[in-house]
């Protein structure tokens, strides 16, 4: 029945209000109420229940004044809101029982009118004069939100130096700052899921997860009187609503306009932040007039995508029935016109009831909710520091108990349980700072899509290892170097569709982004199946620039690394994407700034892979604690191949390679750590010490240490700006006795030993 949906919304409103603390109401919680009230207005209009529409409009105005703290008494506002909810419950009950409302709303109207005035005005405008005591309360239809009263005008473009939305329209700066933070997060969420939707256009879950952020942006923007943002978000939300209800298809034009709309909203919200921080206004890159025109065309079915998605089309897409068989069955004479497509196909035995049920479910899936909590990063850092102190104290207690073996057995058992809990707390708290690289990869996917469109290339993106976690502080830092490499791969690496067909490749090129943990580092690989690097061109350009005299004795890797030198671009022409003097030398500088490393693998005619390795600035890793002289170091267990005490006979000296150890038939270089770090060792002879075989990027070496003290889970800590240039060390960790142990970087040790 038509009352069931309204009744459900009213009950949801009542339930949410029941658990609301009037002292803690904020923009997100208010946005939830606003969305429910908006849904009630829409349902009431379609059902002709004017009383529900009137009450919803009044409660919307009341709620906004509660949020903006412009009521004489917040407590009275909540009492009035509760009364309004009760009135709506009574309205629904009466309609169900008597087909119309028989109650009197005079008391409710007077209560709301006395609180919010006879007519609501925009937030930035002067308040309307309060009604005289003898003035009769008017219908609350006049008190509906300004966003609903205002004429729906398309957003207009502005001068580049002028923001689209002005701060003068907003009175509450704290609420605005919350909106800016949340709004930008919503846009990131939209960008991630719109690309997933492009790959799976029939997946209603993706449509729902895109719909929800637009809906939230619209609701809160309405509260803050940000009309242009609200209008654009509302237009895009309407498109998605039609898509999830099957009224329009998800096609490339719709994907494009949603992405452009998200970009426009991101810029508009960023302009608000620019104004708050007194920074130059970020110019709009999208023409808003054209954007709104495109939205309207798709909405009206004037562009591809304005078709109705029918049940039969869904069944064909799902492979339940062929297109020919569907058309033949439905066109046969004698079929009752009143029967639905699903019924006919089931009766004919063409599809099963389960297949029809699944197809119908795809048409009617609803919005799914996602719960998150925002925590101030400073509070999180403080908590992690406190957990670190707890771990240190635990280790000290453990050492004290070890020295006192006659302790109470029950006490020892309880302390052991405390240690296990502390270790778990350490892992969980540190893990809070770690985030999957998925969102960064999704942003790269968006970049590839835009670049491919600009360069006229057909490109697919493959993501591997999206769940690989990195410290959240690294996310923004690694973005720029990755962007440069992606641009290089799309613009210079991949061929045009015509070139690829000519050389026997698939028309669609492939960019693969891959992430994984290796050797105590985060490894990110960007691969393409394009032209590959031309060694002859690189050598010729390097000689011409005076970077090298000749390539004699240079390995392929040495030649490829020449492109990281300034002015070594081999691009034949300048494009809008790359080749404007910002070359791979900038990438190298950005990577080295993060104490990372870059490698290149390439086969001419087949493709190129950029391999970047970044240290984990903070992460729990398994490490082996080794002792050299009086110092202790930590080797990541992921870099350790084996440990051994070599025989005297297995040690030889090879010309040009120095000392080597025969490890299972393989001669591996010996690296004496005490020489690299200028430490007095306990033992000098390898056959009296311990050798740890460690692996780097593409080679293995033997590290000579005095003792292995054991394994431990340690938290990597950055050494800071003053010590970041130390080669062979990637960070530090607090050990059990409270002292610091340095975490060794195997590749850095290799380079240090070779230079020595």
């Amino acid at each position: 029945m038509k009352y069931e949906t309204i009744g459900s919304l009213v009950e949801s409103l009542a339930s949410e209000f029941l658990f609301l603390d009037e002292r803690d109401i904020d923009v997100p919680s208010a946005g939830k109420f606003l969305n429910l009230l908006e849904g009630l207005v829409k349902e009431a209009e379609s059902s002709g229940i004017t009383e529900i529409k009137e009450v919803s409009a009044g409660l919307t105005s009341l709620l906004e004044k509660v949020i903006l703290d412009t009521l004489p008494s917040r407590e009275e506002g909540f009492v009035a809101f509760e009364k309004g909810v009760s009135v709506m419950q009574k309205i629904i009950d009466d309609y169900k029982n008597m087909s119309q409302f028989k109650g009197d709303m005079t008391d409710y109207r007077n209560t709301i009118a006395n609180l919010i005035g006879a007519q609501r005005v925009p937030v930035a405008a002067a308040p309307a004069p309060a009604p005289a005591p003898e003035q009769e309360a008017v219908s609350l239809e006049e008190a509906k939100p300004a966003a609903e009263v205002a004429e729906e005008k398309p957003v207009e473009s502005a001068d580049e130096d002028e923001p689209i939305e002005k701060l003068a329209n907003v009175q509450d700066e704290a609420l605005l700052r919350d909106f800016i933070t949340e709004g930008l997060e919503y846009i990131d969420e939209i960008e991630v899921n719109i690309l997933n939707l492009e790959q799976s256009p029939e997946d209603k879950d993706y449509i729902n997860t895109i719909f929800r952020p637009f809906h939230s942006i619209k609701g809160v923007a309405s509260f803050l009187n940000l009309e242009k943002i609200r209008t654009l978000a509302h237009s895009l939300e309407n498109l998605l609503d039609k898509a999830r209800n099957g009224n329009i298809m998800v096609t490339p034009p719709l994907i494009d306009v949603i992405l452009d709309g998200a970009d426009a909203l991101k810029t508009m919200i960023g302009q608000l932040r620019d104004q708050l921080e007194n920074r130059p206004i970020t110019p709009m890159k999208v023409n808003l007039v054209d954007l709104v025109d495109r939205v309207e065309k798709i909405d009206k079915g004037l562009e591809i995508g304005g078709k109705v998605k029918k049940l039969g089309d869904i069944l064909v897409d799902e492979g339940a029935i062929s297109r020919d068989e569907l058309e033949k069955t439905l066109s046969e004479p004698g079929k009752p016109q009143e029967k639905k497509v699903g019924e006919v196909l089931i009766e004919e035995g063409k599809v099963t009831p389960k297949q029809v049920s699944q197809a119908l479910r795809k048409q009617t899936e609803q919005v799914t909710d996602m719960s998150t909590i925002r925590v101030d990063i400073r509070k999180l850092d403080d908590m992690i520091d406190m957990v670190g102190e707890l771990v240190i104290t635990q280790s000290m207690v453990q050492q004290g108990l070890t020295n006192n073996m006659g302790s109470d057995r029950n006490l020892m058992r309880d302390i052991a349980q405390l240690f296990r809990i502390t270790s778990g707390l350490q892992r969980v708290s540190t893990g809070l700072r770690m985030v999957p690289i998925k969102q960064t990869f999704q942003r790269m996917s968006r970049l590839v899509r835009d670049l491919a469109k600009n360069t006229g290339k057909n490109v697919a993106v493959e993501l591997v290892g999206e769940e690989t976690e990195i410290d959240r502080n690294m996310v923004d830092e690694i973005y720029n170097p990755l962007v440069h490499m992606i641009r290089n791969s799309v613009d210079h690496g991949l061929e045009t569709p015509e070139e690829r067909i000519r050389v026997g490749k698939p028309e669609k090129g492939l960019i693969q982004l891959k992430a994984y943990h290796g050797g105590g580092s985060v490894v990110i690989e960007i691969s393409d199946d394009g032209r590959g690097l031309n060694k002859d061109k690189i050598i010729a350009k390097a000689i011409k620039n005076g970077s090298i005299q000749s390539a004699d004795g240079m390995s392929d890797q040495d030649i490829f690394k020449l492109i990281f030198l300034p002015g070594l671009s081999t691009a034949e022409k300048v494009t809008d994407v790359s080749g404007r003097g910002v070359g791979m030398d900038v990438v190298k500088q950005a990577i080295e700034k993060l104490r990372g490393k870059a490698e290149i693998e390439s086969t001419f005619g087949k493709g190129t892979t950029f391999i970047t390795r970044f240290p984990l600035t903070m992460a729990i890793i398994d490490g082996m604690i080794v002792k050299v002289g009086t110092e202790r170091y930590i080797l990541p267990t992921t870099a350790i191949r084996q440990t051994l005490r070599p025989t005297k006979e297995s040690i030889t000296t090879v010309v040009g390679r120095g000392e080597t150890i025969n490890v299972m038939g393989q001669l591996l270089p010996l690296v004496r750590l005490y020489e690299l770090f200028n430490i007095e060792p306990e033992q000098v002879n390898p056959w009296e010490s311990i050798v740890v075989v460690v692996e780097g990027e593409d080679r293995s070496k033997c590290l000579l240490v005095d003792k292995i003290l054991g394994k431990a889970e340690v938290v990597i800590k950055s050494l800071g700006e003053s010590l970041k240039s130390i080669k062979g060390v990637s960070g530090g960790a607090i050990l059990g006795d409270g002292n610091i142990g340095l975490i060794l970087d195997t590749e850095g040790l290799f380079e240090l030993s070779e230079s020595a």
Side-chain angles (χ1 to χ4, degrees), residues 339-622:
K339 283 195 175 182
K340 297 180 179 179
V341 172
E343 294 179 33
V344 172
L345 294 175
I346 291 173
E347 288 178 358
E348 293 289 325
K350 304 297 184 183
V351 296
T352 65
K354 182 179 179 181
Q355 289 171 323
V356 172
S357 175
Q358 290 174 340
L360 289 171
R361 196 155 51 242
K362 278 184 169 292
Q363 291 182 321
T364 57
E365 287 172 344
Q366 299 300 314
V367 177
T368 56
D369 240 343
M370 184 170 60
S371 299
T372 59
I373 183 171
R374 183 178 295 105
V375 179
D376 190 323
I377 193 64
R378 291 170 296 184
K379 294 180 180 178
L380 192 58
D381 287 340
D382 290 343
M383 185 192 76
I384 292 173
D385 289 341
M386 292 300 294
V387 172
E389 295 292 332
L390 178 62
V391 172
I392 294 170
T393 304
Q394 167 198 292
S395 300
M396 293 177 177
V397 172
Q398 189 173 17
Q399 284 190 349
L401 290 174
T402 303
N403 297 331
N404 185 12
M405 299 303 294
S407 298
D408 182 273
R409 182 173 297 177
N410 290 332
L411 175 62
M412 295 292 289
R413 186 185 64 245
D414 294 341
I415 296 255
Q417 175 66 7
L418 174 63
F419 289 170
R420 284 192 290 271
I421 293 172
T422 304
S423 297
L425 179 61
Q426 183 189 30
R427 285 193 297 272
V428 171
S429 61
T430 306
L432 293 176
R433 282 292 299 266
M434 306 299 289
V435 295
I437 203 170
K438 179 176 182 178
Q439 191 171 39
T440 301
F441 272 14
Q442 295 285 3
R443 292 171 71 186
M444 295 297 145
S445 297
R446 167 75 190 277
L447 176 65
V448 171
R449 182 185 187 277
D450 293 344
L451 292 175
K453 190 174 180 181
N454 291 339
T455 57
K457 296 178 180 179
N458 197 348
V459 186
V461 181
E462 181 181 351
L463 307 180
V464 180
E466 295 173 88
E467 300 308 315
T468 301
E469 292 190 332
I470 59 176
D471 189 286
R472 68 177 304 279
N473 290 338
M474 290 287 290
V475 172
D476 293 333
E477 298 295 330
I478 66 175
Y479 180 74
N480 285 335
L482 294 183
V483 165
H484 279 293
M485 287 184 282
I486 288 286
R487 287 178 178 274
N488 192 80
S489 292
V490 175
D491 198 30
H492 302 314
L494 292 176
E495 309 94 335
T496 63
E498 296 77 16
E499 290 175 310
R500 293 180 65 85
I501 293 174
R502 194 161 53 245
V503 297
K505 290 183 178 181
E507 179 181 350
K508 179 177 287 189
L510 176 66
I511 298 283
Q512 183 191 70
L513 283 78
K514 182 178 181 181
Y516 56 92
H517 286 157
S521 301
V522 176
V523 185
I524 301 175
E525 298 181 1
I526 299 175
S527 304
D528 67 70
D529 64 346
R531 302 181 178 95
L533 294 179
N534 188 322
K535 289 190 292 184
D536 294 335
K537 272 190 175 183
I538 296 173
I539 293 170
K541 189 69 177 288
I543 293 175
K544 181 180 179 181
N545 283 5
S547 301
I548 61 173
Q549 299 301 316
S550 73
D552 294 342
M554 294 182 68
S555 66
D556 287 352
Q557 184 63 224
D558 293 334
I559 295 172
F560 294 151
K561 285 187 175 180
L562 290 175
I563 70 171
F564 288 124
L565 297 176
L568 252 294
S569 173
T570 57
E572 296 180 356
K573 61 179 181 178
V574 171
T575 70
D576 290 335
V577 175
S578 56
R580 295 187 179 275
V582 181
M584 295 299 288
D585 58 312
V586 174
V587 174
K588 186 171 184 290
Q589 292 170 12
I591 293 173
E592 289 180 345
K593 182 180 178 182
L594 298 171
R595 300 187 62 225
K597 299 179 180 67
E599 289 183 7
I600 302 173
E601 295 177 357
S602 184
T603 302
F604 186 65
K606 293 187 177 180
T608 302
T609 299
F610 294 100
I611 305 169
T612 55
R613 299 174 188 272
F614 300 97
L616 295 170
T617 54
M618 186 184 351
I620 290 181
I621 63 167
D622 286 326

Side-chain angles (χ1 to χ4, degrees), residues 61-71 115-116 120:
S61 299
L62 177 64
L63 186 58
E64 179 172 342
K65 288 186 176 293
V66 169
I67 291 297
L68 298 177
D69 212 15
T70 57
L71 289 177
L115 281 171
I116 66 175
R120 177 182 174 274

Side-chain angles (χ1 to χ4, degrees), residues 105-121:
M105 295 209 310
T106 303
D107 181 50
Y108 164 73
R109 286 174 176 154
N110 288 334
T111 300
I112 299 294
N114 287 335
L115 281 171
I116 66 175
Q119 185 176 9
R120 177 182 174 274
V121 296

Side-chain angles (χ1 to χ4, degrees), residues 155 164 179-180 182-195 197 209-215 217-218 228-229 231-237 239-240 253-271 273 282-288 291-292 294-295 442-443 446 449-450:
V155 288
I164 299 298
F179 170 68
I180 291 170
E182 291 176 356
L184 294 175
E185 289 179 359
Y186 284 141
I187 299 299
D188 288 341
E189 185 180 334
I190 290 167
E191 289 181 338
V192 168
N193 287 292
I194 193 67
L195 295 169
L197 179 62
T209 52
I210 300 166
F211 174 89
R212 188 187 65 81
F214 279 124
H215 192 64
I217 289 173
K218 180 197 70 175
K228 294 181 175 64
I229 291 177
T231 301
L232 180 56
H234 182 61
S235 300
L236 297 169
E237 175 199 36
L239 279 187
L240 290 165
L254 184 133
I255 296 289
D256 288 341
V257 81
I258 294 295
L259 281 172
D260 289 343
D263 284 342
L265 288 173
K266 189 172 187 176
T267 303
M268 292 161 77
I269 295 172
Q271 288 181 345
R273 184 175 56 189
T282 304
M284 290 292 298
K285 297 180 180 179
V286 178
N287 186 302
L288 293 182
L291 178 62
V292 171
R294 288 165 57 199
V295 171
Q442 295 285 3
R443 292 171 71 186
R446 167 75 190 277
R449 182 185 187 277
D450 293 344

Side-chain angles (χ1 to χ4, degrees), residues 95-242:
Y95 265 95
K96 286 181 179 178
N97 297 328
M98 299 177 292
S99 299
Q100 58 180 330
F101 178 56
K102 299 295 184 181
D104 184 4
M105 295 209 310
T106 303
D107 181 50
Y108 164 73
R109 286 174 176 154
N110 288 334
T111 300
I112 299 294
N114 287 335
L115 281 171
I116 66 175
Q119 185 176 9
R120 177 182 174 274
V121 296
V123 177
E134 68 275 9
Q135 181 179 0
E136 183 180 354
V138 299
S139 169
L140 288 175
E141 181 64 20
E142 300 176 22
K144 63 164 50 178
E148 296 179 19
V149 176
E151 180 184 356
E152 293 287 345
K153 296 180 180 178
V155 288
E156 298 176 357
S157 299
D159 294 336
E160 288 192 357
D161 295 333
E162 288 293 323
I164 299 298
E165 296 279 12
K166 306 291 196 304
L167 281 185
N169 295 336
V170 183
Q171 289 182 337
D172 195 309
E173 182 177 322
L175 294 181
L176 178 63
R177 289 188 182 275
D178 285 346
F179 170 68
I180 291 170
T181 301
E182 291 176 356
L184 294 175
E185 289 179 359
Y186 284 141
I187 299 299
D188 288 341
E189 185 180 334
I190 290 167
E191 289 181 338
V192 168
N193 287 292
I194 193 67
L195 295 169
N196 291 332
L197 179 62
E198 186 173 37
Q199 301 297 321
S200 306
E202 302 303 325
D203 193 326
K204 292 291 178 65
D205 285 340
Y206 288 137
I207 299 177
N208 291 332
T209 52
I210 300 166
F211 174 89
R212 188 187 65 81
F214 279 124
H215 192 64
S216 300
I217 289 173
K218 180 197 70 175
V220 182
S222 179
F223 264 124
L224 295 174
N225 206 40
L226 301 171
E227 281 302 299
K228 294 181 175 64
I229 291 177
R230 189 207 72 85
T231 301
L232 180 56
H234 182 61
S235 300
L236 297 169
E237 175 199 36
N238 281 344
L239 279 187
L240 290 165
D241 189 42
K242 291 189 175 183

